[in-house]
Amino acid sequence: MGGGEQTSNPEVCAALVAETVEEMVSDMHRAKEQGADVVEIRLDCIKNFQSHRDLKAILTNKPLPVIIVYRQKWDGAHCEGYEKIMSEALHLAHQFFLSKHLAHQLGADYVDLELEGASSLVAELKRKNFAGSKIIVSSYLSGATPSKEKLRILAAEMEATGADMIKIVSNANDITEMDRIFHLLSHSEVEVPTVAYSEGERGLISQLLSPKFGGALVYGSLEGNSISGLPSLDSLREAYKVKYINSDTKVFGLISKPVSHSKGPILHNPTFRHMNYNGTYVPMFVDDLKEFFNVYSSTEFAGFSVGIPYKEAAIEFCDEVHPLAKSIGAVNTIIRRHDGKLIGYNTDCEASITAIEDAIKEHKYPDANASFLNSPLDGKQFVVVGAGGAGRAIAIGAKSRGASVIIFDIDFGEAQPFESLSHFQPEIGAILANATPIGMHPNTDRIPVAEATLGNYLLVFDAVYTPRKTRLLKDAAAAGAIGVSGVEMFLRQAIGQCKLFTGGVGEAPEDFMREIVLEKF
C-alpha cells in the first residue's frame, strides 16, 4: 500500500506552562521554531498573573495563533469548606472573564472555557459579540475514560454551549480505553472540531493517532520543558511524522510493558516515509494482551512488534505461527492479514545470530572447525543468560549453527539456575549472550556474569541497547573480548519486521535504516 506522501495536515499545539510572562513569550517563539502551528497559554501557571498587564505583553508578541487557557479550580476537594470553594471559583471566573475580554481585544485566536462554567460565559461572550475569538469548551475528566455512550452525551452537551471547538481530556487506566476516544473522534455527531485524548503512557496512542481519527489538534511539549503525559514537539515532527498521518494510515506498534525505552518509532516511521508507505509506528503500553487484541481487532491495526514481557505469551493470540517462531516458543512480530487473522513471526533469531557471526568474521578469527553451515559458531560453547523470548531465539539460532548451548535463567526449568552463573567457568573461546534486562537504563551498573570470567570469552553479545554501550560490553572489551551491541540485533530484527509490515511493497532500505541507527541510537 502506497500513499506515504498524503498528509492530513493536523494542527500541532504546544502547551506552554511558563511561570513568568518573559518566559512565556520566549517559549512561544521556541515553539514556532520546533514546529508548532498554535500555542496554548496557561495563564494560571503565571505567578502573580495580572490580566491587563500580562495578556498585553503576551498577545502583542505572539508569533503564532494563541489559545488562552485559565484552568479554574472547580474541584474543591482540598479546600476547607463550601464557602471557600465558591468564593475561589467565583473570583477565578470573574478574573477569567476579564482575561477573555482583554484577550479578544488584543487578538487572541481562541479562548478556552471549562464546561462547568462555560454556558453563562459563552452566552455573555456571544451577547457582547466577541466574534473575533473562537471559543473552546473543555472538560478534564478524572478516573477511567467514560464509555462511548457517555462520551457521546458529554460531547453533545459541550457543543450545546455554543462552542466553536470542544476538548475532552481523560486519564487512561488502560490502553484499551483509547478505542472509546477514537470512536468519539471518528463517529461523533458533533459538528464542531473536536480534540480528545488521554494523558499518560497508556494514553499516548490517543495523541499520536489523533490525526487518523479526525482530531482537530495534536498536543506536544517544548523540548527541554517536558510536560508529563505529552509527547515532545520534536518527537511529533521527527519520530512520529504526525503531518503524514491520515485516515488511510495503517497502525503498527510495540506491545510492551514498560514501553518508554522503545526506539522503534525513530527507526520505523522515517523508514515508512522513505518507502512511501502510509503507516505509523507507536508505543503501546499493554497491561492485558487478551483485552488488547479483543479491542483492537480492526485491520487498521495492521501489525505489532512484541517486547518484554509478552514474546512468549503472545503466541496464544496468534491464529498461525511461523515454524521458526513455533520452535522458539516466542514471537517478536505479529502481522494482521487482510482477513483479520494474526500471524506470528520471530525475527530476533537470525538478527542476533548473524550479528554475532559477522562480528567474528570481521575480526578474522580463524576456526578450523567452522564447517557446520560454514558458521564460526560450530562446536563452540555458547552461554545464554535468560530463557525468555529473546534468550530462546538466541539459543535456537546458536544450536542451528552447531554450537553447544548452555542456558542460565531464574526460572531455570531445563536451564541452569541463574545463581550458579557467578561460579561458572566458561571454556576458552566461548560465546556469551545476555538476553536479560540486566544493565538496561536506568540500572546500568550491573553485569550478569562474574567479571573475572570475561577474559575466557571470544565474544560477548548484549541484547540490551539502552544504553548502547552497556557496562557488560565495556568490561568485555577491557578483558579482550569482541563486543556486539544489542543495537545491531535491534537493527537487523527491525529490517526483518519492516519487510513483514510493508508486505513486500519494496525492499526494506537497509542502508537508510543503518544510518538512522548510527545517528540516533
Side-chain angles (χ1 to χ4, degrees), residues 204-344:
L204 181 59
I205 65 167
S206 67
Q207 300 167 50
L208 301 177
L209 300 181
S210 176
K212 175 176 174 61
F213 296 99
L217 292 174
V218 180
Y219 276 78
S221 59
L222 284 176
E223 199 70 23
N225 282 25
S226 63
I227 298 174
S228 178
L230 291 184
S232 69
L233 293 174
D234 179 67
S235 69
L236 291 175
R237 183 181 68 251
E238 296 296 331
Y240 297 108
K241 306 285 186 183
V242 293
K243 291 288 186 180
Y244 292 91
I245 299 176
N246 56 47
S247 59
D248 295 327
T249 300
K250 293 293 185 182
V251 178
F252 302 88
L254 170 64
I255 296 171
S256 189
K257 182 181 179 180
V259 76
S260 59
H261 67 283
S262 172
K263 294 184 181 293
I266 66 177
L267 180 60
H268 284 295
N269 288 318
T271 301
F272 287 154
R273 300 286 72 75
H274 183 81
M275 297 176 69
N276 194 33
Y277 181 82
N278 192 1
T280 188
Y281 184 98
V282 297
M284 297 173 169
F285 191 116
V286 174
D287 294 286
D288 186 317
L289 280 177
K290 182 177 181 180
E291 186 68 13
F292 176 83
F293 285 120
N294 282 341
V295 170
Y296 296 105
S297 58
S298 164
T299 54
E300 292 296 294
F301 289 82
F304 311 95
S305 303
V306 184
I308 296 171
Y310 296 128
K311 292 189 178 188
E312 298 151 276
I315 282 186
E316 176 187 344
F317 304 97
C318 294
D319 297 291
E320 298 177 18
V321 180
H322 186 274
L324 176 60
K326 188 176 290 186
S327 69
I328 294 168
V331 297
N332 77 318
T333 310
I334 297 176
I335 301 298
R336 179 173 272 120
R337 282 194 322 217
H338 295 301
D339 60 4
K341 291 187 180 297
L342 297 174
I343 316 302

Side-chain angles (χ1 to χ4, degrees), residues 156 346 478 503:
N346 192 300

Side-chain angles (χ1 to χ4, degrees), residues 26 36 53 55 69 92 127 155 165 186 194 211 214 254 256 265 297 302 318 341 349 402-403 416 428 435 464 481 507:
S26 173
R53 180 196 68 189
L55 269 174
V69 179
L92 287 174
R127 185 179 67 80
M165 180 185 294
S186 57
T194 301
L254 170 64
S256 189
S297 58
C318 294
K341 291 187 180 297
C349 181
Q416 303 294 316
I428 300 296
V464 171
E507 279 298 309

Side-chain angles (χ1 to χ4, degrees), residues 282-475:
V282 297
M284 297 173 169
F285 191 116
V286 174
D287 294 286
D288 186 317
L289 280 177
K290 182 177 181 180
E291 186 68 13
F292 176 83
F293 285 120
N294 282 341
V295 170
Y296 296 105
S297 58
S298 164
T299 54
E300 292 296 294
F301 289 82
F304 311 95
S305 303
V306 184
I308 296 171
Y310 296 128
K311 292 189 178 188
E312 298 151 276
I315 282 186
E316 176 187 344
F317 304 97
C318 294
D319 297 291
E320 298 177 18
V321 180
H322 186 274
L324 176 60
K326 188 176 290 186
S327 69
I328 294 168
V331 297
N332 77 318
T333 310
I334 297 176
I335 301 298
R336 179 173 272 120
R337 282 194 322 217
H338 295 301
D339 60 4
K341 291 187 180 297
L342 297 174
I343 316 302
Y345 298 88
N346 192 300
T347 66
D348 281 338
C349 181
E350 282 301 297
S352 57
I353 295 305
T354 58
I356 292 169
E357 288 178 322
D358 288 349
I360 295 174
K361 292 173 183 176
E362 286 171 13
H363 284 75
K364 298 180 180 177
Y365 277 85
D367 193 334
N369 296 319
S371 57
F372 189 82
L373 296 179
N374 198 31
S375 172
L377 300 181
D378 184 25
K380 289 195 176 298
Q381 187 182 69
F382 198 108
V383 179
V384 179
V385 186
R392 291 185 185 190
I394 294 169
I396 291 291
K399 286 180 180 178
S400 75
R401 303 306 206 265
S404 175
V405 177
I406 303 175
I407 303 173
F408 292 86
D409 191 64
I410 295 174
D411 299 319
F412 61 93
E414 296 182 3
Q416 303 294 316
F418 179 80
E419 294 77 11
S420 66
L421 184 56
S422 59
H423 307 293
F424 176 73
Q425 191 66 33
E427 296 177 359
I428 300 296
I431 309 295
L432 172 65
N434 174 40
T436 74
I438 293 174
M440 181 184 291
H441 180 82
N443 303 309
T444 59
D445 60 342
R446 297 177 59 208
I447 66 172
V449 297
E451 186 176 350
T453 66
L454 289 174
N456 282 27
Y457 292 104
L458 168 66
L459 179 144
V460 173
F461 166 79
D462 197 343
V464 171
Y465 63 84
T466 51
R468 180 172 182 172
K469 195 76 170 179
T470 62
R471 181 185 163 186
L472 176 61
L473 292 178
K474 292 176 182 177
D475 290 351

Side-chain angles (χ1 to χ4, degrees), residues 62-128:
K62 62 170 187 166
L64 292 170
V66 168
I67 300 172
I68 291 296
V69 179
Y70 197 125
R71 288 289 300 278
Q72 302 176 76
K73 298 179 182 178
W74 295 101
D75 179 2
H78 298 292
C79 296
E80 294 178 0
Y82 176 76
E83 290 184 5
K84 182 175 181 180
I85 297 170
M86 292 304 295
S87 174
E88 182 177 28
L90 288 170
H91 171 73
L92 287 174
H94 177 65
Q95 185 181 33
F96 189 53
F97 176 76
L98 291 177
S99 300
K100 293 303 180 288
H101 177 76
L102 183 61
H104 164 71
Q105 291 178 333
L106 294 173
D109 303 272
Y110 302 87
V111 291
D112 184 308
L113 298 166
E114 292 185 56
L115 177 62
E116 289 87 344
S119 297
S120 59
L121 286 172
V122 171
E124 182 70 9
L125 290 171
K126 296 279 187 181
R127 185 179 67 80
K128 291 182 178 292

